[in-house]
């Protein structure tokens, strides 16, 4: 039996194939291959036949070919095709995931909060539908009467952010949800310096929560929506734009000044504040604090305090806290004066940075 060998070396190798003979004739010989001999795959140079390496040069492999044996090159080819198919399949799966309706992959974190549907995103109606269930009406009662404000649900167990002046001095606090259900609430912590408070509903669970946005990304001219309970009108929606940033707003800290929004007693005044060296809506008193605020022309009225200022993606960017009512300023007039397009909101990033302190009881 005769064995044939092919060199796997460079193309210019001087080694020649040899044939062993039973007759003992030495030296090289080049007989034609027998009829049953397997063909040797050709080596191509300078171009690609579709199965070579990346530079267009097919790679030769060392192999001993036996009669009746199975060539190994097709197996390698099949493996390469399988790998290529797997790569193509993976790419297709990635595209499907990126273009699927939910817009998330298996590794993404699901945020528990409000969402605005794609078809309603950017519309006041879409924002109102998504966020209204997360806004509550707050009624705070004390020996001097009742005040009405608003609040934003931030956890499914009933944590609510509102203004300190809405609940300051209150002996009892209640919150009414958008579906009409009413809960008693406890004050967890307050921060009079930032005019913020955190209250917790008794026995609440499974509530829809608001998504807190990023107030540092807000710009003048951005469209916004305000939701609250002005004058006790639960779930009122107004809209406008951000008209200025970083306004220095001064508000009272005294508890006897605290319950001013939507007060339901004779002689009650709107929540007083100072801006530009002037006092509005009443005397701020001797104990006061100043914070940076977002200014908006979205209509805010007594009772909007503690409610949400929302961007067009449905994310909370501020907590409404003060409004300007000229007829109730130093020239006197009705305490029920409405908005004239000058309202202020505490940036939501201020709220987020204060949450840990509020959960621990606050600073004052």
């Amino acid at each position: 039996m005769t064995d044939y060998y092919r060199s796997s070396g460079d193309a210019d190798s001087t080694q020649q194939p040899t044939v062993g003979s039973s007759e003992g004739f030495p030296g090289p010989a080049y007989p034609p291959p027998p009829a049953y001999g397997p063909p040797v795959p050709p080596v191509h140079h300078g171009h690609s036949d579709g199965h070579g390496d990346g530079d267009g040069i097919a790679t030769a492999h060392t192999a001993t070919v036996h009669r009746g044996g199975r060539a190994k090159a097709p197996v390698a080819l099949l493996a390469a095709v399988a790998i290529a198919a797997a790569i193509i399949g993976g790419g297709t799966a990635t595209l499907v995931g990126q273009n699927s309706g939910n817009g998330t992959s298996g590794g993404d974190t699901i945020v528990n909060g409000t969402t605005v549907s794609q078809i309603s995103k950017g519309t006041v109606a879409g924002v109102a539908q998504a966020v209204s269930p997360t806004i509550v009406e707050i009624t705070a009662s004390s020996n001097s009467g009742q005040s009405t404000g608003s609040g934003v649900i931030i956890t499914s167990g009933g944590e609510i952010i509102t203004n300190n002046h809405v609940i300051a001095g209150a002996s009892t606090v209640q919150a009414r949800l958008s579906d009409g259900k009413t809960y008693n609430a406890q004050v967890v912590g307050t921060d009079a310096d930032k005019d913020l408070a955190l209250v917790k509903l008794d026995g609440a669970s499974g509530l829809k929560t608001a998504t807190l946005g990023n107030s540092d990304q807000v710009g003048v001219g951005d469209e916004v929506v305000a939701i609250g309970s002005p004058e006790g009108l639960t779930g009122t929606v107004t809209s406008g734009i951000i008209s200025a940033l970083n306004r220095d707003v001064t508000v009272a800290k005294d508890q006897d000044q605290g319950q001013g929004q939507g007060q339901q007693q004779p002689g009650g005044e709107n929540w007083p504040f100072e801006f530009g060296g002037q006092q509005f809506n009443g005397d701020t008193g001797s104990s006061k604090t100043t914070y940076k605020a977002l200014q908006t022309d979205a209509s805010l009225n007594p009772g909007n305090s503690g409610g949400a200022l929302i961007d067009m993606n449905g994310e909370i960017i501020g907590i409404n806290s003060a409004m300007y009512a000229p007829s109730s300023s130093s020239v006197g007039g009705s305490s029920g004066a409405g908005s004239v397009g000058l309202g202020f909101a505490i940036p939501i990033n201020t709220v987020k940075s204060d949450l840990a302190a509020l959960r621990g009881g606050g600073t004052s």
Side-chain angles (χ1 to χ4, degrees):
M1 181 180 66
T2 303
D3 290 333
Y4 294 90
Y5 297 90
R6 180 174 183 179
S7 171
S8 62
D10 296 337
D12 60 353
S13 173
T14 58
Q15 181 179 354
Q16 300 295 330
T18 61
V19 177
S21 173
S22 58
E23 278 86 16
F25 294 107
Y30 302 92
Y36 55 80
V40 178
V43 178
H44 298 278
H45 296 278
H47 70 279
S48 172
D49 62 357
H51 301 292
D53 54 21
D55 59 1
I57 302 175
T59 304
H61 299 277
T62 303
T64 300
V65 182
H66 298 280
R67 185 188 315 149
R70 181 177 297 175
K72 295 185 179 181
V75 177
L77 177 61
L78 290 175
V81 172
I83 293 172
I87 294 173
I88 295 172
T92 304
T94 301
L95 292 174
V96 170
Q98 290 175 345
N99 290 284
S100 61
N102 58 22
T104 62
S105 64
D108 291 340
T109 301
I110 305 300
V111 178
N112 179 26
T114 57
T115 57
V116 180
S117 67
Q118 290 297 321
I119 59 173
S120 298
K121 185 168 288 189
T123 69
V124 174
V127 171
Q129 182 179 21
V131 183
S132 288
T134 73
I135 311 301
V136 304
E137 176 185 302
I138 294 178
T139 301
S141 302
S142 68
N143 293 333
S144 59
Q146 284 186 335
S147 68
T148 301
S150 306
V152 180
I153 302 172
I154 61 171
T155 65
S156 61
E159 282 188 334
I160 294 174
I161 282 289
T162 187
N163 287 137
N164 177 64
H165 73 255
V166 170
I167 53 85
S171 55
T172 62
V173 177
Q174 288 187 323
R176 182 185 180 193
L177 275 58
S178 62
D179 61 4
K181 189 172 184 179
T182 299
Y183 290 86
N184 291 324
Q186 307 300 320
V187 177
V188 176
T190 61
D191 187 343
D193 289 332
K194 296 183 177 69
D195 195 17
L196 293 172
L198 182 69
V199 300
K200 179 76 161 56
L201 304 184
D202 294 339
S205 63
L207 302 183
K208 188 171 184 178
T209 62
T211 299
L212 306 185
N214 184 357
S215 52
D216 288 343
Q217 295 180 349
V218 174
V220 174
D222 287 353
E223 293 182 275
V224 291
V225 174
I227 304 179
S229 300
E231 305 292 356
L233 301 174
T234 305
T236 296
V237 177
T238 57
S239 65
I241 63 168
I242 295 293
S243 54
L245 303 173
N246 298 317
R247 292 299 199 197
D248 288 321
V249 175
T250 300
V251 296
K253 292 173 62 175
D254 292 340
Q255 288 188 357
D256 59 357
Q257 298 276 357
Q259 298 188 41
Q261 287 279 8
Q263 200 138 29
Q264 299 175 10
Q265 63 175 4
E269 291 185 343
N270 300 320
W271 178 245
F273 74 100
E274 295 180 12
F275 173 71
Q278 300 182 47
Q279 293 187 352
F280 302 96
N281 307 345
D283 185 6
T284 56
S286 58
S287 179
K288 59 188 70 174
T289 184
T290 301
Y291 57 82
K292 298 288 186 181
L294 303 173
Q295 181 179 303
T296 179
D297 70 349
S299 181
L300 302 181
N301 293 285
N304 270 116
S305 282
L309 190 66
I310 313 154
D311 67 16
M312 302 310 289
N313 291 320
E315 297 182 350
I316 312 300
I317 58 170
I319 300 297
N320 299 321
S321 58
M323 45 78 65
Y324 169 51
S327 61
S328 60
S329 63
S330 58
V331 298
S334 170
S335 64
S339 171
V340 293
L342 188 61
F344 303 96
I346 301 168
I348 200 62
N349 285 7
T350 300
V351 177
K352 291 192 287 188
S353 66
D354 206 32
L355 267 178
L358 291 173
R359 286 172 172 146
T363 59
S364 60

